[in-house]
Amino acid sequence: MTNLYCSQGHQNPHNSKFCLQCGEKIVENPVISGIQPGQTLGDRYVIIRQIGQGGFGRTYLAEDINRFREACVLKEFSPQVQTPYVVQKAEELFQREASVLYKLQHPQIPRFRELLRLNLQGKESLFLVQDHVDGETYNSLLNIRQQQGLKFTETEVRQLLQQILPVLEYIHSVGVIHRDISPDNLMLRSGDQLPVLIDFGGVKQVAATVASQYYQTGAITSPPSGTLLGKIGFAPPEQMQTGVVSTHSDLYALAVTMLVLLTGKQPQELIDTYNLSWQWRREVTLSPALGQIIDKMLSPLAGDRYQTARQLLQALNPQPVSYPQTQPPVSIPTPPPTSATVAFSPPKTPVSAPVVTPTPSNPSVWTGTNVFIVTLAVFASMGLLAWGFKNRSGDIQGSNPTITSSPNPTETATPEVNFSPAETQRKQKLRDRREQLSINSNFYVNLVNQIFWDTNPSLKGRTLSNNPEDESLRAEWDKTAAQVLEKLSVISFASRRQLGTYTSSERDRWKVEVNKINVGSRSLFDLGDAAFFSVFPEQKSKDFINQPIGQVWYAFVNDQLNALLSKRTFEKIVFPQGATGTTVRGILQPGRGKVFIAGLATDQNMEVKLEGSSKLLLSIYSPSGKIVFLEDSPQRNLSKALPETGFYEFVVVSTSSAEPADYRLTVTAENPPELDPIPTETPTEPPEPTLTETPEPTPTPTETANPN
């Protein structure tokens, strides 16, 4: 019994007649196309599964074998009527639209890869290939909340506006109008919790034009200049009536989207049909400032709306930051990339550190080569003492975590096992969910075993039988498995697929990567710890790195690495001209964080102030990593004379379990000395030293576990 999917890709139980999320009627036994899981298209794209189906073709999740098996999405357009003329014109229109998608290069827009033309079983098909976004649409998130009696809060909507408006500003700057903004076309990406803009309206218009014009006339002509594309209720009146769109058209649809998230109501339920005015205030109470902004975005007269995303951002942030006008800031050139630190949490003993280059004003600073030599000595003498303290013991010399599987890791009932229909269905549902998440079955069984045994220590090592006397325990194991799968779903697709295969070599790679942006691995681990412990809080203070759950920690850190490298959780603090201080602010989702770096110099007087939720923790590290000013600390203020020149790291993380956390970080640095430029050449990373300490042995569990 497999899950059913509507044309939007929403998952539903096998006996569903209508989609539980969008209400679309589901065809239970659709005609299966010739594209099956495991099939390779264009000698490059291996199909994993179908994730959607519409009137013009299907959408598939695939792996790009030419790009290290990266996940991607293939959107098929296969005209029902197949003639050379139809295929040729369809491809011309797609080429035109693909050229628009190709020039969109933004981290919050799925990257367009290529247009693929294939002949499958004698039928011409076109595929748009784009990056895969691992996450949920805001429509799906809203449906989940409504089932719990909840909706989106004003704080969350403000944050969404702050995060998506720069994306609209970007696409508008290159002459692209989305034309179809709605909760279905915004996704919350699992890896970094940022909104992603998907399904640009022009792509859908190509399919609609090819189909409708052919069916009406038997031929395809050029598409009209004005397109009647958009969702009723979301698109502004002029777009639906004339097809004319502008930048403010997207802002109108964005306002409607915000109201739907805030109220849980569809646009038709928020409009007075008599005078066509918006009546949202009877459904939700907002601050006067945001209420006025939404009203202006929804003005029936296009000229009365905000015309650009920049105008709207300025309205959301009307108060500029006031900076002290004292002595001008020192200009600090970019130093070489830092080397990494290895420790995970308090006490995070630095193992390698950013390289400080000597200047005429600071001749005592060593060269990069000398620093590397000293680093090797420090490495050998200090070891990795901090690892065991923060649950990362073992696996220091390259050993792999031991993943021991159950003797018979079966997830569903076999004909020989007389499970009840309810238990059989439950186990099938677990298997479907695991396969959907692309999690290795052996690793999955071992992970659930570990958590199940931790919860029931008296059962550790016991194999649960298929007999009736163990039915209640099997039900508890299955419940644990379901909870684990949902927790793993927040990890990105790419990181999930590696579960069970991570080794210490990943940490070596992470060090090299974060050094390129002048960040040490200590800051990366701060972000990874926050994300991991927000989902698995029971693992705090436990030694888990060599257990199956340790693989999950690796996956969380891998996601945070990608977020850092793409600058989604990383920002360089730059003092404004004539100022000695600056303030950065934002909102952190539960378990998320952000790394800031600031170039400062020896003998400057630094003051740091963090304002915001009590759930925030602050860490501050020196450029060399030898000095830890604060680490995972609730302390809000720090005043120090700086001992080193280079990039100081400031890490803010949220330990909240539910609510977003506002933060305001102010950094002031006075009395800067005169500095000569710091060379920017990249030093060679020293090899890992051979440790003299004997690492803790990797545990090899011999217990057997529930095979279900």
Side-chain angles (χ1 to χ4, degrees):
M1 291 177 289
T2 58
N3 294 316
L4 298 177
Y5 296 85
C6 70
S7 64
Q8 300 299 316
H10 299 146
Q11 179 180 316
N12 296 274
H14 73 281
N15 58 351
S16 300
K17 301 300 182 184
F18 296 90
C19 178
L20 298 180
Q21 297 188 41
C22 66
E24 175 185 312
K25 186 175 181 180
I26 296 177
V27 180
E28 188 166 358
N29 295 306
V31 177
I32 304 298
S33 72
I35 306 178
Q36 300 297 319
Q39 184 173 345
T40 301
L41 302 185
D43 295 325
R44 178 170 184 173
Y45 302 104
V46 179
I47 300 298
I48 298 176
R49 68 176 184 274
Q50 180 179 318
I51 58 176
Q53 181 172 342
F56 305 107
R58 298 172 176 83
T59 303
Y60 300 92
L61 178 64
E63 287 182 337
D64 186 346
I65 59 178
N66 286 359
R67 294 182 61 87
F68 306 99
R69 305 193 77 88
E70 286 182 349
C72 58
V73 171
L74 273 63
K75 296 185 177 181
E76 177 189 24
F77 172 62
S78 182
Q80 297 300 311
V81 179
Q82 292 279 321
T83 68
Y85 181 77
V86 168
V87 173
Q88 175 189 349
K89 288 301 179 181
E91 184 167 2
E92 288 177 4
L93 292 175
F94 262 81
Q95 289 281 11
R96 184 183 309 167
E97 201 61 39
S99 66
V100 174
L101 292 176
Y102 180 75
K103 67 181 180 182
L104 296 179
Q105 302 290 329
H106 192 281
Q108 287 168 259
I109 298 173
R111 180 167 50 95
F112 172 75
R113 297 190 178 211
E114 68 168 311
L115 177 64
L116 190 65
R117 177 178 177 177
L118 297 173
N119 187 299
L120 301 175
Q121 297 180 341
K123 186 177 182 181
E124 294 291 338
S125 293
L126 297 168
F127 294 86
L128 284 171
V129 186
Q130 292 179 289
D131 281 353
H132 170 61
V133 179
D134 187 27
E136 296 284 345
T137 68
Y138 275 82
N139 185 52
S140 297
L141 295 173
L142 177 61
N143 287 332
I144 293 172
R145 293 198 181 194
Q146 287 183 295
Q147 293 172 8
Q148 303 169 345
L150 302 173
K151 296 180 283 289
F152 281 79
T153 65
E154 177 174 340
T155 300
E156 291 174 313
V157 163
R158 276 185 169 273
Q159 181 184 22
L160 176 55
L161 286 171
Q162 297 276 9
Q163 293 174 332
I164 204 63
L165 283 170
V167 184
L168 293 182
E169 182 179 24
Y170 165 74
I171 68 169
H172 294 165
S173 70
V174 296
V176 176
I177 310 297
H178 187 279
R179 294 184 283 184
D180 199 16
I181 293 176
S182 70
D184 266 327
N185 289 336
L186 287 173
M187 291 190 70
L188 183 65
R189 187 161 49 199
S190 298
D192 55 18
Q193 297 294 294
L194 282 178
V196 178
L197 192 59
I198 64 172
D199 282 353
F200 281 70
V203 178
K204 296 178 180 177
Q205 184 59 35
V206 170
T209 299
V210 171
S212 63
Q213 291 189 5
Y214 183 87
Y215 296 149
Q216 292 172 12
T217 66
I220 298 179
T221 60
S222 299
S225 58
T227 60
L228 302 180
L229 182 70
K231 291 185 176 68
I232 295 176
F234 288 92
E238 71 276 5
Q239 180 177 342
M240 298 306 298
Q241 294 168 5
T242 66
V244 175
V245 294
S246 185
T247 54
H248 55 69
S249 307
D250 281 348
L251 301 183
Y252 182 102
L254 183 60
V256 179
T257 298
M258 299 303 106
L259 289 181
V260 170
L261 297 178
L262 286 163
T263 65
K265 303 286 186 180
Q266 291 303 305
Q268 297 87 330
E269 302 174 86
L270 301 173
I271 297 179
D272 187 326
T273 56
Y274 180 74
N275 56 20
L276 299 181
S277 62
W278 290 93
Q279 302 295 324
W280 58 265
R281 282 182 170 81
R282 63 193 177 194
E283 301 291 343
V284 64
T285 301
L286 302 178
S287 64
L290 183 59
Q292 293 172 7
I293 287 174
I294 287 181
D295 282 339
K296 184 168 182 177
M297 295 170 71
L298 293 173
S299 175
L301 298 177
D304 292 342
R305 302 175 197 149
Y306 296 104
Q307 299 300 299
T308 66
R310 173 54 50 186
Q311 291 177 358
L312 182 48
L313 277 170
Q314 291 172 348
L316 286 168
N317 303 286
Q319 297 298 327
V321 178
S322 178
Y323 302 103
Q325 296 298 318
T326 54
Q327 63 191 76
V330 63
S331 175
I332 301 181
T334 304
T338 69
S339 55
T341 59
V342 171
F344 288 81
S345 62
K348 296 180 184 173
T349 306
V351 183
S352 59
V355 176
V356 183
T357 307
T359 66
S361 61
N362 189 15
S364 63
V365 180
W366 287 16
T367 65
T369 302
N370 291 334
V371 169
F372 284 143
I373 296 173
V374 172
T375 299
L376 291 175
V378 172
F379 225 138
S381 62
M382 298 181 68
L384 299 174
L385 301 180
W387 280 59
F389 190 90
K390 196 155 184 192
N391 316 323
R392 312 292 190 275
S393 62
D395 196 19
I396 349 185
Q397 292 182 320
S399 60
N400 296 341
T402 300
I403 306 300
T404 306
S405 64
S406 179
N408 184 22
T410 307
E411 296 169 88
T412 57
T414 62
E416 294 77 15
V417 179
N418 189 25
F419 288 151
S420 68
E423 183 170 0
T424 301
Q425 182 177 7
R426 185 177 71 229
K427 293 183 183 301
Q428 181 65 50
K429 185 176 181 180
L430 286 173
R431 179 176 181 174
D432 289 345
R433 182 59 169 155
R434 180 191 62 75
E435 290 179 346
Q436 181 190 39
L437 296 175
S438 296
I439 298 172
N440 176 272
S441 60
N442 284 344
F443 167 76
Y444 154 76
V445 170
N446 278 277
L447 177 62
V448 178
N449 283 342
Q450 179 191 344
I451 296 175
F452 178 74
W453 284 336
D454 287 347
T455 308
N456 304 276
S458 63
L459 298 174
K460 189 169 185 179
R462 173 182 167 182
T463 300
L464 301 183
S465 71
N466 296 327
N467 299 326
E469 60 265 22
D470 280 346
E471 183 175 358
S472 61
L473 290 177
R474 293 197 304 271
E476 186 175 349
W477 194 96
D478 290 348
K479 180 180 179 181
T480 300
Q483 294 170 345
V484 168
L485 288 174
E486 290 315 303
K487 289 181 178 182
L488 297 182
S489 68
V490 303
I491 303 172
S492 71
F493 176 82
S495 295
R496 278 199 310 265
R497 287 182 63 82
Q498 296 184 61
L499 287 170
T501 66
Y502 289 105
T503 69
S504 60
S505 63
E506 289 298 312
R507 297 196 298 270
D508 298 332
R509 180 178 66 86
W510 294 340
K511 293 178 197 177
V512 174
E513 293 299 322
V514 295
N515 289 173
K516 294 177 182 178
I517 57 173
N518 298 302
V519 172
S521 58
R522 188 191 296 269
S523 296
L524 168 63
F525 297 150
D526 281 343
L527 299 185
D529 284 350
F532 174 71
F533 289 130
S534 71
V535 180
F536 295 93
E538 72 281 359
Q539 296 298 325
K540 290 183 179 179
S541 303
K542 289 186 178 181
D543 181 9
F544 60 75
I545 195 63
N546 287 320
Q547 300 298 320
I549 192 67
Q551 291 284 296
V552 180
W553 178 86
Y554 272 94
F556 273 100
V557 178
N558 196 52
D559 276 349
Q560 293 306 312
L561 170 72
N562 294 329
L564 269 176
L565 297 180
S566 64
K567 309 297 176 68
R568 298 191 296 267
T569 58
F570 169 79
E571 183 176 338
K572 183 178 179 181
I573 295 177
V574 179
F575 294 135
Q577 183 66 35
T580 58
T582 189
T583 298
V584 290
R585 67 189 75 193
I587 302 175
L588 295 177
Q589 291 297 321
R592 300 305 177 193
K594 192 163 185 177
V595 177
F596 302 90
I597 64 171
L600 304 173
T602 303
D603 296 330
Q604 279 190 283
N605 298 315
M606 179 183 73
E607 293 187 2
V608 181
K609 181 179 182 182
L610 176 64
E611 301 171 272
S613 166
S614 61
K615 299 293 186 179
L616 296 174
L617 297 179
L618 176 64
S619 299
I620 304 176
Y621 306 118
S622 71
S624 68
K626 297 179 181 179
I627 300 175
V628 177
F629 296 103
L630 294 176
E631 186 172 48
D632 295 337
S633 173
Q635 185 174 330
R636 291 293 188 265
N637 297 280
L638 179 73
S639 180
K640 290 285 184 181
L642 299 181
E644 301 174 359
T645 295
F647 280 104
Y648 286 75
E649 298 173 49
F650 309 85
V651 188
V652 182
V653 300
S654 170
T655 61
S656 171
S657 60
E659 297 296 324
D662 297 296
Y663 70 87
R664 177 186 171 102
L665 179 67
T666 301
V667 179
T668 303
E670 299 181 343
N671 189 33
E674 294 295 329
L675 296 178
D676 291 327
I678 300 175
T680 59
E681 60 267 19
T682 302
T684 302
E685 187 78 14
E688 288 280 351
T690 301
L691 302 179
T692 57
E693 300 85 16
T694 302
E696 293 184 25
T698 300
T700 306
T702 58
E703 303 91 352
T704 56
N706 175 36
N708 301 309

